[in-house]
PDB file of all heavy atoms in Angstrom:
ATOM      1  N   GLY A  17     116.045 -26.252-225.652  1.00 91.00           N
ATOM      2  CA  GLY A  17     117.289 -26.878-225.226  1.00 91.00           C
ATOM      3  C   GLY A  17     117.069 -28.006-224.236  1.00 91.00           C
ATOM      4  O   GLY A  17     115.959 -28.504-224.064  1.00 91.00           O
ATOM      5  N   SER A  18     118.142 -28.416-223.583  1.00 93.00           N
ATOM      6  CA  SER A  18     118.054 -29.557-222.668  1.00 93.00           C
ATOM      7  C   SER A  18     117.226 -29.204-221.442  1.00 93.00           C
ATOM      8  O   SER A  18     117.078 -28.046-221.072  1.00 93.00           O
ATOM      9  CB  SER A  18     119.452 -30.017-222.256  1.00 93.00           C
ATOM     10  OG  SER A  18     120.119 -28.968-221.599  1.00 93.00           O
ATOM     11  N   GLY A  19     116.664 -30.247-220.828  1.00 93.00           N
ATOM     12  CA  GLY A  19     115.842 -30.060-219.646  1.00 93.00           C
ATOM     13  C   GLY A  19     114.689 -31.038-219.629  1.00 93.00           C
ATOM     14  O   GLY A  19     114.682 -32.035-220.349  1.00 93.00           O
ATOM     15  N   THR A  20     113.694 -30.753-218.816  1.00 93.00           N
ATOM     16  CA  THR A  20     112.521 -31.607-218.678  1.00 93.00           C
ATOM     17  C   THR A  20     111.357 -30.990-219.438  1.00 93.00           C
ATOM     18  O   THR A  20     111.115 -29.790-219.354  1.00 93.00           O
ATOM     19  CB  THR A  20     112.149 -31.781-217.190  1.00 93.00           C
ATOM     20  OG1 THR A  20     113.274 -32.346-216.514  1.00 93.00           O
ATOM     21  CG2 THR A  20     110.953 -32.698-217.026  1.00 93.00           C
ATOM     22  N   TYR A  21     110.643 -31.817-220.175  1.00 93.00           N
ATOM     23  CA  TYR A  21     109.502 -31.398-220.981  1.00 93.00           C
ATOM     24  C   TYR A  21     108.319 -32.304-220.681  1.00 93.00           C
ATOM     25  O   TYR A  21     108.481 -33.393-220.153  1.00 93.00           O
ATOM     26  CB  TYR A  21     109.829 -31.515-222.482  1.00 93.00           C
ATOM     27  CG  TYR A  21     110.815 -30.504-222.980  1.00 93.00           C
ATOM     28  CD1 TYR A  21     112.177 -30.659-222.789  1.00 93.00           C
ATOM     29  CD2 TYR A  21     110.378 -29.380-223.674  1.00 93.00           C
ATOM     30  CE1 TYR A  21     113.085 -29.728-223.258  1.00 93.00           C
ATOM     31  CE2 TYR A  21     111.271 -28.446-224.153  1.00 93.00           C
ATOM     32  CZ  TYR A  21     112.630 -28.621-223.944  1.00 93.00           C
ATOM     33  OH  TYR A  21     113.524 -27.689-224.408  1.00 93.00           O
ATOM     34  N   ARG A  22     107.132 -31.853-221.067  1.00 91.00           N
ATOM     35  CA  ARG A  22     105.933 -32.692-221.025  1.00 91.00           C
ATOM     36  C   ARG A  22     105.568 -33.021-222.465  1.00 91.00           C
ATOM     37  O   ARG A  22     105.572 -32.153-223.328  1.00 91.00           O
ATOM     38  CB  ARG A  22     104.761 -31.953-220.388  1.00 91.00           C
ATOM     39  CG  ARG A  22     104.875 -31.735-218.910  1.00 91.00           C
ATOM     40  CD  ARG A  22     104.819 -32.973-218.088  1.00 91.00           C
ATOM     41  NE  ARG A  22     103.472 -33.511-217.976  1.00 91.00           N
ATOM     42  CZ  ARG A  22     103.184 -34.630-217.377  1.00 91.00           C
ATOM     43  NH1 ARG A  22     104.129 -35.359-216.835  1.00 91.00           N
ATOM     44  NH2 ARG A  22     101.957 -35.054-217.299  1.00 91.00           N
ATOM     45  N   VAL A  23     105.271 -34.285-222.705  1.00 91.00           N
ATOM     46  CA  VAL A  23     104.727 -34.692-223.999  1.00 91.00           C
ATOM     47  C   VAL A  23     103.347 -35.280-223.752  1.00 91.00           C
ATOM     48  O   VAL A  23     103.091 -35.892-222.725  1.00 91.00           O
ATOM     49  CB  VAL A  23     105.622 -35.713-224.746  1.00 91.00           C
ATOM     50  CG1 VAL A  23     106.960 -35.116-225.103  1.00 91.00           C
ATOM     51  CG2 VAL A  23     105.798 -36.993-223.976  1.00 91.00           C
ATOM     52  N   ARG A  24     102.474 -35.045-224.682  1.00 91.00           N
ATOM     53  CA  ARG A  24     101.141 -35.649-224.637  1.00 91.00           C
ATOM     54  C   ARG A  24     101.060 -36.543-225.868  1.00 91.00           C
ATOM     55  O   ARG A  24     101.138 -36.071-226.993  1.00 91.00           O
ATOM     56  CB  ARG A  24     100.059 -34.577-224.673  1.00 91.00           C
ATOM     57  CG  ARG A  24      98.648 -35.172-224.604  1.00 91.00           C
ATOM     58  CD  ARG A  24      97.581 -34.098-224.489  1.00 91.00           C
ATOM     59  NE  ARG A  24      97.688 -33.471-223.180  1.00 91.00           N
ATOM     60  CZ  ARG A  24      97.595 -32.149-222.980  1.00 91.00           C
ATOM     61  NH1 ARG A  24      97.400 -31.335-223.984  1.00 91.00           N
ATOM     62  NH2 ARG A  24      97.689 -31.664-221.765  1.00 91.00           N
ATOM     63  N   VAL A  25     100.943 -37.839-225.646  1.00 92.00           N
ATOM     64  CA  VAL A  25     100.888 -38.813-226.725  1.00 92.00           C
ATOM     65  C   VAL A  25      99.428 -39.211-226.928  1.00 92.00           C
ATOM     66  O   VAL A  25      98.770 -39.663-225.994  1.00 92.00           O
ATOM     67  CB  VAL A  25     101.748 -40.056-226.397  1.00 92.00           C
ATOM     68  CG1 VAL A  25     101.675 -41.072-227.518  1.00 92.00           C
ATOM     69  CG2 VAL A  25     103.192 -39.643-226.125  1.00 92.00           C
ATOM     70  N   HIS A  26      98.944 -39.029-228.162  1.00 92.00           N
ATOM     71  CA  HIS A  26      97.585 -39.430-228.551  1.00 92.00           C
ATOM     72  C   HIS A  26      97.714 -40.641-229.468  1.00 92.00           C
ATOM     73  O   HIS A  26      98.574 -40.657-230.344  1.00 92.00           O
ATOM     74  CB  HIS A  26      96.899 -38.327-229.360  1.00 92.00           C
ATOM     75  CG  HIS A  26      96.694 -37.047-228.631  1.00 92.00           C
ATOM     76  ND1 HIS A  26      97.713 -36.163-228.356  1.00 92.00           N
ATOM     77  CD2 HIS A  26      95.576 -36.480-228.140  1.00 92.00           C
ATOM     78  CE1 HIS A  26      97.237 -35.113-227.731  1.00 92.00           C
ATOM     79  NE2 HIS A  26      95.934 -35.276-227.576  1.00 92.00           N
ATOM     80  N   ALA A  27      96.871 -41.630-229.286  1.00 92.00           N
ATOM     81  CA  ALA A  27      96.930 -42.821-230.137  1.00 92.00           C
ATOM     82  C   ALA A  27      95.523 -43.300-230.456  1.00 92.00           C
ATOM     83  O   ALA A  27      94.597 -43.135-229.675  1.00 92.00           O
ATOM     84  CB  ALA A  27      97.711 -43.939-229.448  1.00 92.00           C
ATOM     85  N   ARG A  28      95.416 -43.898-231.642  1.00 89.00           N
ATOM     86  CA  ARG A  28      94.169 -44.574-232.014  1.00 89.00           C
ATOM     87  C   ARG A  28      94.526 -45.734-232.931  1.00 89.00           C
ATOM     88  O   ARG A  28      95.562 -45.741-233.584  1.00 89.00           O
ATOM     89  CB  ARG A  28      93.179 -43.624-232.675  1.00 89.00           C
ATOM     90  CG  ARG A  28      93.608 -43.111-234.006  1.00 89.00           C
ATOM     91  CD  ARG A  28      92.507 -42.247-234.644  1.00 89.00           C
ATOM     92  NE  ARG A  28      93.096 -41.384-235.642  1.00 89.00           N
ATOM     93  CZ  ARG A  28      93.163 -40.065-235.550  1.00 89.00           C
ATOM     94  NH1 ARG A  28      92.649 -39.438-234.515  1.00 89.00           N
ATOM     95  NH2 ARG A  28      93.732 -39.366-236.499  1.00 89.00           N
ATOM     96  N   GLY A  29      93.678 -46.746-232.927  1.00 85.00           N
ATOM     97  CA  GLY A  29      93.863 -47.883-233.827  1.00 85.00           C
ATOM     98  C   GLY A  29      94.942 -48.858-233.411  1.00 85.00           C
ATOM     99  O   GLY A  29      95.365 -49.684-234.216  1.00 85.00           O
ATOM    100  N   ARG A  30      95.388 -48.817-232.168  1.00 84.00           N
ATOM    101  CA  ARG A  30      96.450 -49.754-231.765  1.00 84.00           C
ATOM    102  C   ARG A  30      95.952 -51.188-231.707  1.00 84.00           C
ATOM    103  O   ARG A  30      96.751 -52.121-231.694  1.00 84.00           O
ATOM    104  CB  ARG A  30      97.048 -49.353-230.415  1.00 84.00           C
ATOM    105  CG  ARG A  30      97.845 -48.076-230.520  1.00 84.00           C
ATOM    106  CD  ARG A  30      98.762 -47.771-229.349  1.00 84.00           C
ATOM    107  NE  ARG A  30      98.280 -48.148-228.055  1.00 84.00           N
ATOM    108  CZ  ARG A  30      99.070 -48.629-227.094  1.00 84.00           C
ATOM    109  NH1 ARG A  30     100.354 -48.823-227.296  1.00 84.00           N
ATOM    110  NH2 ARG A  30      98.573 -48.925-225.911  1.00 84.00           N
ATOM    111  N   ASP A  31      94.643 -51.394-231.716  1.00 81.00           N
ATOM    112  CA  ASP A  31      94.086 -52.752-231.717  1.00 81.00           C
ATOM    113  C   ASP A  31      93.730 -53.230-233.121  1.00 81.00           C
ATOM    114  O   ASP A  31      93.250 -54.351-233.289  1.00 81.00           O
ATOM    115  CB  ASP A  31      92.827 -52.812-230.840  1.00 81.00           C
ATOM    116  CG  ASP A  31      93.134 -52.578-229.378  1.00 81.00           C
ATOM    117  OD1 ASP A  31      94.265 -52.896-228.951  1.00 81.00           O
ATOM    118  OD2 ASP A  31      92.267 -52.053-228.667  1.00 81.00           O
ATOM    119  N   THR A  32      93.994 -52.402-234.138  1.00 75.00           N
ATOM    120  CA  THR A  32      93.603 -52.739-235.511  1.00 75.00           C
ATOM    121  C   THR A  32      94.350 -53.952-236.042  1.00 75.00           C
ATOM    122  O   THR A  32      93.756 -54.850-236.614  1.00 75.00           O
ATOM    123  CB  THR A  32      93.826 -51.534-236.437  1.00 75.00           C
ATOM    124  OG1 THR A  32      93.068 -50.434-235.928  1.00 75.00           O
ATOM    125  CG2 THR A  32      93.403 -51.836-237.857  1.00 75.00           C
ATOM    126  N   ALA A  33      95.665 -53.979-235.896  1.00 63.00           N
ATOM    127  CA  ALA A  33      96.473 -55.105-236.384  1.00 63.00           C
ATOM    128  C   ALA A  33      97.500 -55.491-235.324  1.00 63.00           C
ATOM    129  O   ALA A  33      98.694 -55.426-235.562  1.00 63.00           O
ATOM    130  CB  ALA A  33      97.158 -54.732-237.691  1.00 63.00           C
ATOM    131  N   PRO A  34      97.026 -55.891-234.145  1.00 64.00           N
ATOM    132  CA  PRO A  34      97.992 -56.190-233.085  1.00 64.00           C
ATOM    133  C   PRO A  34      98.932 -57.319-233.494  1.00 64.00           C
ATOM    134  O   PRO A  34      98.500 -58.309-234.068  1.00 64.00           O
ATOM    135  CB  PRO A  34      97.132 -56.579-231.883  1.00 64.00           C
ATOM    136  CG  PRO A  34      95.811 -56.955-232.462  1.00 64.00           C
ATOM    137  CD  PRO A  34      95.658 -56.179-233.733  1.00 64.00           C
ATOM    138  N   ASP A  35     100.191 -57.105-233.215  1.00 61.00           N
ATOM    139  CA  ASP A  35     101.252 -58.066-233.515  1.00 61.00           C
ATOM    140  C   ASP A  35     101.444 -58.334-235.000  1.00 61.00           C
ATOM    141  O   ASP A  35     102.219 -59.190-235.380  1.00 61.00           O
ATOM    142  CB  ASP A  35     101.018 -59.402-232.792  1.00 61.00           C
ATOM    143  CG  ASP A  35     101.066 -59.227-231.287  1.00 61.00           C
ATOM    144  OD1 ASP A  35     101.816 -58.344-230.828  1.00 61.00           O
ATOM    145  OD2 ASP A  35     100.346 -59.954-230.578  1.00 61.00           O
ATOM    146  N   GLY A  36     100.756 -57.590-235.843  1.00 59.00           N
ATOM    147  CA  GLY A  36     100.891 -57.778-237.280  1.00 59.00           C
ATOM    148  C   GLY A  36     101.864 -56.784-237.882  1.00 59.00           C
ATOM    149  O   GLY A  36     102.535 -56.040-237.207  1.00 59.00           O
ATOM    150  N   ALA A  37     101.923 -56.831-239.190  1.00 62.00           N
ATOM    151  CA  ALA A  37     102.740 -55.907-239.959  1.00 62.00           C
ATOM    152  C   ALA A  37     101.843 -55.173-240.941  1.00 62.00           C
ATOM    153  O   ALA A  37     100.924 -55.740-241.487  1.00 62.00           O
ATOM    154  CB  ALA A  37     103.843 -56.656-240.701  1.00 62.00           C
ATOM    155  N   VAL A  38     102.123 -53.904-241.127  1.00 62.00           N
ATOM    156  CA  VAL A  38     101.356 -53.098-242.062  1.00 62.00           C
ATOM    157  C   VAL A  38     102.265 -52.728-243.215  1.00 62.00           C
ATOM    158  O   VAL A  38     103.310 -52.105-243.010  1.00 62.00           O
ATOM    159  CB  VAL A  38     100.800 -51.841-241.367  1.00 62.00           C
ATOM    160  CG1 VAL A  38     100.078 -50.955-242.359  1.00 62.00           C
ATOM    161  CG2 VAL A  38      99.883 -52.232-240.236  1.00 62.00           C
ATOM    162  N   ASP A  39     101.907 -53.143-244.414  1.00 61.00           N
ATOM    163  CA  ASP A  39     102.702 -52.821-245.597  1.00 61.00           C
ATOM    164  C   ASP A  39     102.425 -51.401-246.028  1.00 61.00           C
ATOM    165  O   ASP A  39     101.439 -50.797-245.639  1.00 61.00           O
ATOM    166  CB  ASP A  39     102.380 -53.786-246.742  1.00 61.00           C
ATOM    167  CG  ASP A  39     102.853 -55.188-246.444  1.00 61.00           C
ATOM    168  OD1 ASP A  39     103.865 -55.330-245.734  1.00 61.00           O
ATOM    169  OD2 ASP A  39     102.197 -56.132-246.916  1.00 61.00           O
ATOM    170  N   GLY A  40     103.252 -50.904-246.900  1.00 58.00           N
ATOM    171  CA  GLY A  40     103.086 -49.548-247.399  1.00 58.00           C
ATOM    172  C   GLY A  40     104.102 -48.641-246.776  1.00 58.00           C
ATOM    173  O   GLY A  40     104.826 -49.005-245.875  1.00 58.00           O
ATOM    174  N   GLY A  41     104.161 -47.443-247.264  1.00 56.00           N
ATOM    175  CA  GLY A  41     105.128 -46.476-246.763  1.00 56.00           C
ATOM    176  C   GLY A  41     106.120 -46.134-247.835  1.00 56.00           C
ATOM    177  O   GLY A  41     106.001 -46.560-248.981  1.00 56.00           O
TER     178      GLY A  41
END
């Protein structure tokens, strides 16, 4: 329910196509 939570965000590849667009999906 409502309240405060902790999230842990993991990321990789953010430098692969910076400012670009990725087709597909």
Side-chain angles (χ1 to χ4, degrees):
S18 61
T20 302
Y21 289 80
R22 289 293 285 176
V23 296
R24 181 174 291 137
V25 179
H26 297 74
R28 67 176 159 247
R30 291 195 324 143
D31 294 332
T32 302
D35 297 328
V38 176
D39 292 329

